[in-house]
Amino acid sequence: MRHIADMTDAASPVLSAEPAAMTARAREVIRLNIAALQALETSLDDSLARACEIILSRPGYLVVTGMGKSGHIGGKIAATLASTGTNAFFVHPAEMSHGDLGMLRKDVTLLAISNSGESRELRDPLIYCQREGIPVIGITQRPTSFLGRASAVCLTMPQVAEACPNGLAPTTSTLMTLALGDALAMVLMDRRGFTAEAFGLHHPGGKLGMSLQSIRDWMGDRPPAPATVALTASFAEVVSAITEGRKGAVAVLNADGTLAGIVTDGDVRRAFSRDLAGLTAADVMSGRPKVIGPDARMSDAIDLMTQNKIATLLVVEADHPVAIVHIAELMQAGYVS
C-alpha cells in the first residue's frame, strides 16, 4: 500500500516552501477572486430586479437553502437578509426531505443555491415548490440545470475557474454567490426603505447595534428621575444631591421645573477655592450645559461627550431634564470601550 503522503504528492503539485512563492500563490488566488467578481458585475441583468419584485410581493418568509459550501454561504445570506429588513431563515435541504418541507408554506419564497444546479438534496424541495406553486429563485452557474429550470427567476453566475488548483474546492464560485446574495439583500433593503434605526432594532447586541439604539431605548420605560435642585439650593444641598444621585452631577431647575443649568463634580471641586458661605446652586452651576434629546442615538450622545470632554450629559425633553447619562455607565454597558 502506498503511503498517504506519496499519494498526496502524486495527486497535486507541491508548492515551494519559500515565502515568496507562497505569497505569490496567495496573490494569484486573490486575483482570480477579483476577476470572478468583475465577471459577475458585468454579467448582472434585470433578473436580480425580477427576483426582488417576487420577494417583495410575497407576504411570507424568504427561505434560503443550499448544500455543502453553498449551504454555508446560504446561511450567511439569510442572516444578512434578516438583519436588513427581509424576513429570512436558512433550512438545510436534506432536512426538508425529512419533515422540514412543512416550513415551506404557500406564502413563502425559496432561494435555492447550487453551483452545478444538480445537487440531489435540492430535488425534493424544488419538486415540492413546483407542486405547491411556491416561487423559486435559483443561484447557479448552469441555468439549464434542474435548479435553473425549476426557478421562476434564475440568477446565473458566470463560468469562471475556481482558485483551487484541482478545480474542485469551491472558491471563486462561493465568493460570487456571497456577493450576489449581498447585492440582493442591499437592493431589497433600499426598496424597503430600511433605516439605520431599524437596523439598530435588529442589532441590540454589539457595539454597532448599541450605538444605533436611541437614548430612550437605553433609559427604558421608567427611567429613574435625575437628581435635581432649585436655583436657590445651598451648596451643601447641591453636594448632597450629587452624592445621592450617583451620577456625578445634578440638574438645576428654574421655578417652573425647566432646566437652568448643571452642577458637576468638577464644579463642586472648583467651588472650594471660594468662600462657601452663602453659595447657592445658581452660583456654582454651568448655565449652558450640553444636553441631548431622548430620541437621539446613543452614538450621538457618545460623540457629544467625547468631543466636549465631559463625563455627564443631561437628557432633556420639553426643556425638562428626564435623565443624566454618565460615561462610566456607558463603559460598563459596553457602549464605550
Side-chain angles (χ1 to χ4, degrees):
M1 180 181 290
R2 292 182 60 190
H3 193 277
I4 292 178
D6 295 335
M7 294 175 66
T8 301
D9 292 343
S12 60
V14 177
L15 183 66
S16 169
E18 291 294 326
M22 290 187 281
T23 301
R25 173 61 178 142
R27 286 175 174 161
E28 179 187 10
V29 171
I30 292 172
R31 283 196 297 271
L32 287 170
N33 280 326
I34 292 172
L37 291 177
Q38 290 174 332
L40 176 66
E41 189 270 335
T42 302
S43 69
L44 279 180
D45 55 23
D46 64 358
S47 60
L48 187 137
R50 289 188 285 116
C52 288
E53 293 303 330
I54 290 176
I55 295 169
L56 291 167
S57 69
R58 303 283 290 173
Y61 282 87
L62 176 63
V63 179
V64 184
T65 192
M67 192 67 194
K69 303 300 186 296
S70 294
H72 294 305
I73 297 298
K76 189 273 178 187
I77 292 173
T80 298
L81 286 161
S83 69
T84 54
T86 298
N87 293 328
F89 61 88
F90 178 84
V91 181
H92 195 284
E95 297 294 337
M96 289 194 198
S97 299
H98 295 274
D100 283 358
L101 280 174
M103 295 184 180
L104 299 182
R105 304 183 312 186
K106 290 184 179 292
D107 61 351
V108 308
T109 306
L110 183 68
L111 175 62
I113 305 168
S114 172
N115 190 41
S116 68
E118 300 292 351
S119 297
R120 65 179 181 274
E121 294 84 358
L122 284 178
R123 287 183 172 260
D124 286 342
L126 291 177
I127 291 171
Y128 179 84
C129 286
Q130 287 180 321
R131 184 171 65 243
E132 297 298 319
I134 297 170
V136 175
I137 297 168
I139 297 181
T140 180
Q141 280 189 334
R142 297 175 56 196
T144 59
S145 64
F146 189 85
L147 171 57
R149 297 193 306 273
S151 299
V153 175
C154 183
L155 302 178
T156 305
M157 298 184 298
Q159 296 279 346
V160 297
E162 300 285 6
C164 170
N166 300 319
L168 299 174
T171 46
T172 53
S173 59
T174 50
L175 180 64
M176 288 191 297
T177 304
L178 181 61
L180 194 53
D182 282 344
L184 183 69
M186 294 302 101
V187 172
L188 287 168
M189 182 179 178
D190 291 344
R191 283 290 311 276
R192 295 182 191 279
F194 195 76
T195 64
E197 286 73 21
F199 188 88
L201 289 175
H202 288 208
H203 296 75
K207 185 174 292 186
L208 174 61
M210 289 189 294
S211 69
L212 291 171
Q213 290 179 341
S214 71
I215 295 172
R216 194 184 299 277
D217 291 333
W218 172 78
M219 293 190 303
D221 293 334
R222 296 181 179 179
T228 61
V229 294
L231 280 167
T232 56
S234 68
F235 183 75
E237 289 173 327
V238 170
V239 173
S240 177
I242 293 176
T243 303
E244 291 178 7
R246 304 174 66 87
K247 293 292 185 77
V250 62
V252 182
L253 306 182
N254 294 306
D256 61 358
T258 57
L259 180 67
I262 187 173
V263 179
T264 66
D265 283 336
D267 294 321
V268 169
R269 288 192 298 271
R270 286 185 288 272
F272 278 105
S273 64
R274 304 161 60 181
D275 181 4
L276 301 181
L279 278 184
T280 66
D283 298 322
V284 296
M285 74 178 187
S286 299
R288 300 180 63 183
K290 299 298 180 183
V291 300
I292 197 165
D295 294 317
R297 296 179 188 172
M298 290 302 296
S299 58
D300 296 331
I302 294 166
D303 289 344
L304 192 59
M305 297 171 80
T306 303
Q307 293 166 6
N308 292 279
K309 297 181 174 61
I310 55 177
T312 53
L313 182 64
L314 285 172
V315 182
V316 175
E317 187 170 25
D319 294 328
H320 288 72
V322 293
I324 298 177
V325 182
H326 195 282
I327 194 70
E329 293 177 289
L330 302 183
M331 294 176 68
Q332 185 177 12
Y335 288 92
V336 180
S337 56

